[in-house]
Amino acid sequence: EVQLVESGGGLVQPGGSLRLSCAASGFTFSDYTMHWLRQTPGKGLECVSAINPTGATTFYTNSVKGRFSISRDNSKNTLYLQMGSLRPEDMAIYYCARLSSGSWFDCWGQGTLVTVSS
Amino acid sequence: EVVLTQSPATLSLSPGERATLSCRTSQSVSNYLAWYQQKPGQAPRLLIYDASNRATGIPARFSGSGSGTDFTLTMSSLEPEDFAVYYCQHRTGWPWTFGQGTKVEI
């Protein structure tokens, strides 16, 4: 069974840091581009960051450039999102998702909640 | 950035009825559009990709159509498990964006 399981969310103060992890199983992780997305009641669903199968190419939405860093460890079948200089507007449910061969999000994790508050 | 506008915001229907959801994009996305279903407390699930192709395991009552800037998701006869929020999403140029969602309620 294809599965993605996020972890690492929690409460952090503004300006703080957090690292999210996404453990993949049931498929050949190293074959797929992976994404982090987030969801809030106000802004809805948003693509945050992406990384190609080798980790050589990454993308970020403008609002997180310079603050977030996506990475992966194909030997551990794990995707990461290092988040720094966190702001209240970064508060959201964060999902990792697999990009299908047709470039759609065909598998999602259950999400992990990030709360940014003092 | 491509803006996706979904309508209506809420659709109130009964089981067995037909549902028609709209997604309009601020510029042409060709057929690079997908639809997702999200139920409370769950992640989104891919329903339709490339505007009209059903994803693996999606029942035939779900269909998608459209190209360019106007797209439609149709559920031919609503089942109780279809009451949820539906999102459209494009992938023409980063950042890929989502619509704000249509809630299909009983």
Side-chain angles (χ1 to χ4, degrees), chain B residues 17-35:
Chain B
E17 290 192 297
R18 183 183 185 89
T20 303
L21 285 62
S22 173
C23 176
R24 289 190 170 176
T25 61
S26 60
Q27 61 192 72
S28 176
V29 297
S30 184
N31 69 329
Y32 297 132
L33 189 109
W35 291 92

Side-chain angles (χ1 to χ4, degrees), chain A residues 35 37 39 44-50 59-62 65 95 99-100 102-111, chain B residues 1 31-34 36 38 41-46 48-51 87 89-91 94-100:
Chain A
H35 282 244
L37 302 94
Q39 186 172 30
L45 284 160
E46 181 183 22
C47 293
V48 174
S49 185
F59 291 92
Y60 300 92
T61 193
N62 284 340
K65 281 181 183 176
Y95 296 100
L99 201 65
S100 71
S103 296
W104 300 108
F105 301 121
D106 69 340
C107 180
W108 298 61
Q110 85 287 354
Chain B
E1 178 175 308
N31 69 329
Y32 297 132
L33 189 109
Y36 297 84
Q38 187 176 33
Q42 297 183 16
R45 176 176 71 144
L46 180 65
I48 302 288
Y49 65 93
D50 293 343
Y87 296 95
Q89 177 237 328
H90 84 91
R91 62 170 185 84
W94 187 259
W96 300 348
T97 54
F98 290 80
Q100 81 281 12

Side-chain angles (χ1 to χ4, degrees), chain A residues 61-80:
Chain A
T61 193
N62 284 340
S63 63
V64 308
K65 281 181 183 176
R67 301 189 299 120
F68 290 13
S69 178
I70 191 171
S71 62
R72 64 192 297 161
D73 186 337
N74 287 342
S75 68
K76 295 182 178 179
N77 293 335
T78 303
L79 175 72
Y80 302 100

